[in-house]
Amino acid sequence: MGVAELLLVGLVMLLGLLGVLIPGVPGSWLVWAAFLWWALHVKTGPAWWLLVGATALLLVTQAVTWLLPPRRLRGVGVNRRMAVFAGAGALAGFVLVPVIGAVPGFIGGIYGSERLRLGRHGEAAASTRAVMRAIGTSVLVELFACLLIFGAWIGAVVAA
């Protein structure tokens, strides 16, 4: 697989990661489709095993998100800026502290957005808790799974 095709797969995966943060966009399935495209073109044993693992992880993630409470966006004041901050925080956390850094980065991004909006620590912390109760857990589970798949893909591309 050439560099241009790898960049295209990476771009689709990044669009999928952004899609996880936008309600109604099948972000996790975009990540999986890009991974499938890569595995079909590479045709190596590790690529197939990673595809099986990614498929299993996304199926478990879908089951877990269905068991969590439904997302209630309107009642807690979720806006696009908050989604951007949360996604950027999760991505930065994932890069700075591999894998486990996505969780505090996501929550920190929500807090940062709320701190800018509300101005005070106490109000921002209370709003962050309300957002995490309303939508954060299901989004975080799905985003974390997609970041794991994205990280596995990057590791496989670098190793090859």
Side-chain angles (χ1 to χ4, degrees):
M1 188 169 234
V3 173
E5 293 162 329
L6 286 174
L7 288 174
L8 186 61
V9 169
L11 179 65
V12 171
M13 284 191 180
L14 286 175
L15 288 173
L17 288 172
L18 291 175
V20 169
L21 300 171
I22 301 170
V25 177
S28 58
W29 297 113
L30 281 173
V31 171
W32 182 81
F35 203 90
L36 174 68
W37 182 264
W38 170 76
L40 288 172
H41 284 284
V42 172
K43 299 178 185 172
T44 63
W48 292 112
W49 283 111
L50 284 173
L51 178 63
V52 168
T55 303
L57 178 64
L58 284 179
L59 288 174
V60 168
T61 300
Q62 290 301 311
V64 168
T65 55
W66 287 333
L67 294 175
L68 292 172
R71 297 178 185 178
R72 298 178 305 273
L73 297 176
R74 300 214 187 267
V76 293
V78 174
N79 56 25
R80 289 186 180 148
R81 181 175 71 175
M82 182 185 297
V84 169
F85 274 54
L91 188 60
F94 186 78
V95 170
L96 293 174
V97 182
V99 182
I100 61 170
V103 175
F106 181 82
I107 296 169
I110 292 173
Y111 173 79
S113 171
E114 290 301 280
R115 181 71 188 253
L116 286 175
R117 185 174 73 92
L118 300 171
R120 301 183 69 183
H121 167 72
E123 293 171 358
S127 180
T128 301
R129 282 190 299 277
V131 168
M132 285 302 293
R133 272 189 235 112
I135 66 157
T137 309
S138 62
V139 171
L140 183 60
V141 166
E142 193 173 352
L143 183 63
F144 188 66
C146 288
L147 282 170
L148 283 175
I149 293 168
F150 186 64
W153 176 75
I154 288 175
V157 168
V158 169

